[in-house]
Amino acid sequence: NANIKTGETLSIDFVDSNVVGTHSRIEPHAYANGAFYFLDGKLGVYPAVNLGYATSPNTFLANASLGTVYTVSSPLSVSGSVSYAENLPTFSDLYWVLDSWGMHGNPDLKKERGVNGEAGVTYKTQNLTYEGSVFTKYMVDAISWSGYDATTSQSWPENIANSVYFGTEQAVTVTPLEGLSLTASYLLNQS
């Protein structure tokens, strides 16, 4: 059993300012997403790809992912995914005009690139649901509004050369009565 969806998108970004000048970006993208089922539906495989081009800064963009979900038994399933993504800085990141908070853009930003991985487990019955996962991300040139100059009290976005994130997310939902659910969750994100 298979399901494939394809399409195209087009976005246009434009800024015209007497402070930063005139800048525009046209981004056409083509994408394909799929869902493939094996073993009588117990195993799902979900590939996706998105290829694009941006006129400013004249670069290609690639995003791809592959996810799987396997139903071990009726209430228990395990999942995993891996992905690669490229993101351009927004025009606000690039051209934000110095404001009263001392924030301004950085026209020298590069696109960020990252690889992500996640593994998870889900246990679901009529009255109890547990979802848990561990994840990691490696990024190159991550865009972060962390630049700061204490002498001028100004901040700006900058590229972080290399960064690694890892963490875990856990959630338990109990439904003691129909229409009433109680949820407790925990998230740890370390960088």
Side-chain angles (χ1 to χ4, degrees), residues 11-17 20-27 55-56 90-92 95:
S11 63
I12 299 171
D13 207 349
F14 183 85
V15 62
D16 187 9
S17 166
V20 299
T22 300
H23 302 276
S24 63
R25 177 187 294 161
I26 299 172
E27 273 187 71
T55 59
S56 174
T90 66
F91 274 21
S92 290
Y95 308 118

Side-chain angles (χ1 to χ4, degrees), residues 1-5 33-47 66-71 77-78:
N1 194 2
N3 181 13
I4 299 174
K5 178 181 178 181
N33 304 316
F36 302 91
Y37 300 98
F38 306 96
L39 306 174
D40 295 326
K42 290 180 74 170
L43 174 64
V45 179
Y46 310 98
L66 179 63
T68 62
V69 176
Y70 178 69
T71 303
S77 63
V78 294

Side-chain angles (χ1 to χ4, degrees), residues 115-134:
V115 177
N116 308 299
E118 182 174 9
V121 62
T122 300
Y123 183 85
K124 185 173 185 174
T125 63
Q126 184 176 351
N127 296 37
L128 174 71
T129 301
Y130 167 77
E131 296 176 297
S133 67
V134 293

Side-chain angles (χ1 to χ4, degrees), residues 1-109:
N1 194 2
N3 181 13
I4 299 174
K5 178 181 178 181
T6 61
E8 309 84 29
T9 62
L10 177 69
S11 63
I12 299 171
D13 207 349
F14 183 85
V15 62
D16 187 9
S17 166
N18 57 2
V19 178
V20 299
T22 300
H23 302 276
S24 63
R25 177 187 294 161
I26 299 172
E27 273 187 71
H29 288 263
Y31 64 87
N33 304 316
F36 302 91
Y37 300 98
F38 306 96
L39 306 174
D40 295 326
K42 290 180 74 170
L43 174 64
V45 179
Y46 310 98
V49 65
N50 182 326
L51 300 174
Y53 173 77
T55 59
S56 174
N58 193 21
T59 187
F60 286 97
L61 299 166
N63 294 282
S65 66
L66 179 63
T68 62
V69 176
Y70 178 69
T71 303
V72 178
S73 62
S74 179
L76 179 66
S77 63
V78 294
S79 61
S81 66
V82 63
S83 64
Y84 173 80
E86 296 180 345
N87 294 305
L88 289 175
T90 66
F91 274 21
S92 290
D93 292 335
L94 294 168
Y95 308 118
W96 189 270
V97 178
L98 185 64
D99 64 15
S100 60
W101 295 93
M103 299 170 63
H104 61 90
N106 179 356
D108 298 321
L109 290 172

